[in-house]
Amino acid sequence: MAPVGPMLFEQVRAELLKLLRSPIFSLFSLALPVIFYGFFGVGNADRLTNGVRGGTFLMASFAAYAVANVMLFTFGISIAVERGRRMDLLMRATPLRGWVFLLSRIVAATCFALAALLLLGVFASLTGGVRLDAGRWAGLTVKLLLGSLPFLLLGFAIGYFVSPNSAPAVVNLIGLPMYFASGIFAPLQILPEFVQKVGPYLPAYLYGQVAWDAVGARSDPLWRDLVGLAIYTVAFLVLALLAFNRQENQRFS
Amino acid sequence: MPGAVVELVRARKDYGGTRALNDVDLRIEAGQVVAVLGPNGAGKTTAINLMLGIRKLTSGTVKLFGRPPTDPVARSRCGVMLQESGVPDLLTVEDLVRLFSSYYPRHLPAAEVIRKAGLEGKAGSRFGTLSGGQQQRLYYALAICGDPEVLFLDEPTVGLDVEGRRAFLADLRQWAGAGRTIILTTHYLEEADQLAQRIVVIDRGSVIADATPAVIKSQVAGKKVVLRFRSEPPRALLDSLPATSVQVDGDSVQILSADPVAVVREVMRRGGDDVVDIDVIGADLEEAFVHLTGAARG
């Protein structure tokens, strides 16, 4: 059998090249967080928000958006598109191991999430006057990556449940309202009352708490939000497994 | 090498209520070039998918190099071209060859694979920009990049023009000449005749013939009688001849029959004066095949 190391390396390389060469994806994942920060973050940089500068608070918001969006896009849309064009068929007849394929996607998505965070971090430091010590930056990065698991799994479930043509629409229909209703794009206080009631139960709201906590914009303990994220992780894992098994039974049984 | 490359034993596959493969026994030894022939929907692709572990059997067993076909050790010895499979448009020829090579333990250098597939000068081109024929050659490159002992080719020349098909068959002949095994499905029947030493005919999920092209030709469809008349012959002249098929094309008539002597005798008795020319030749594979499946198709 072929050694797993080079196989994983080549698979990660291929996944990264695919993402880099699709301009729409690069735009959505790398440029949009920076553009949004330019719209909302820079002007509010000096207004104190939850005990930190607005520039820092909104940098954390859009960092959460950036990472969640990369996971939803890379898993939701690209799995659906590749499934629809039967790109998985030939690979299934090769000695490529399924876990190598899955891991390579996770590594590639993580690389893109890191690039998006780096870009946003640099931009926010330059334009929003964000100053965090190295430990805070590292903590924000690691916590956002670990906390993105439910979004990865939700993307995976969408990728296997939804048809290739509707996947981009579904990802955006789920994503955009969720980011708004979670206080990521705008403060919850300015949204309708029922959204304010529902918002705190959404995964992006809980995820946002992780980001704000990492930059010091929260004082009370985080455990309730972490339990919430864990519940979503289990729920989306079940959904992802159902979606995957459904496709296995349809196409490969 | 001891043992079979592929062995199907009473292999059955049902999709819902439809039986795609009906208790097929098939053993393919190393070094054979085998063509699996049949009309669309006969079960050829199902058979290949079962051999490769892409689909699961309903009952029976399938072994690839004596192992379950999903075993990476067994798959490491196989190269594969499938119908209607895809690869990412955004990757180049070289990217894809590198990627697929990494799946195999003793892969060939990428440049050699690209040259063998006739894609020199296209190494840096993205898959999405290749022509249909070039894409098909890329799939061939991906099939041979692992230096496999056996090639599985499901309708490999679909989408190729006449020249492309000829060149591709020449490549395959050369590849098989080194004592390697090829298992291909096709409905280009001349292709099987040119390439294979053994033809397995599948129809409605069952193997209905399994022999050399020569045997299939000699035993089954027999001969083709070509008659030319002074003018278009009357229908009555050609009714109820001892033939499997009668085709009229103006003043020329083609008759497929297992008993050409009886055909000629009967035609001459009914209207011999109008016959200006007679040819009796061996039926080619396509005609043999039409006869075997018991229905004139196409």
Side-chain angles (χ1 to χ4, degrees), chain B residues 13 21 51 59 91 94 177 219:
Chain B
K13 180 64 188 174
L21 216 57
M51 291 175 191
S59 65
L91 295 182
E94 192 176 5
Q219 288 188 349

Side-chain angles (χ1 to χ4, degrees), chain A residues 16 31 35 51 63 66 75 77 86 92 122 127 149 158 161 168 185 203 224 242:
Chain A
L16 281 175
I35 292 169
F75 285 85
I77 298 177
R86 300 165 71 97
R92 300 209 35 144
V122 169
T127 63
L149 188 58
I158 293 170
F161 260 130
F185 281 174
R224 219 185 307 185
L242 284 176

Side-chain angles (χ1 to χ4, degrees), chain A residues 180-181 186-200:
Chain A
F180 271 108
L188 266 189
Q189 293 85 325
I190 66 163
L191 294 172
E193 196 178 333
F194 93 96
V195 176
Q196 292 188 35
K197 284 215 178 85
V198 176

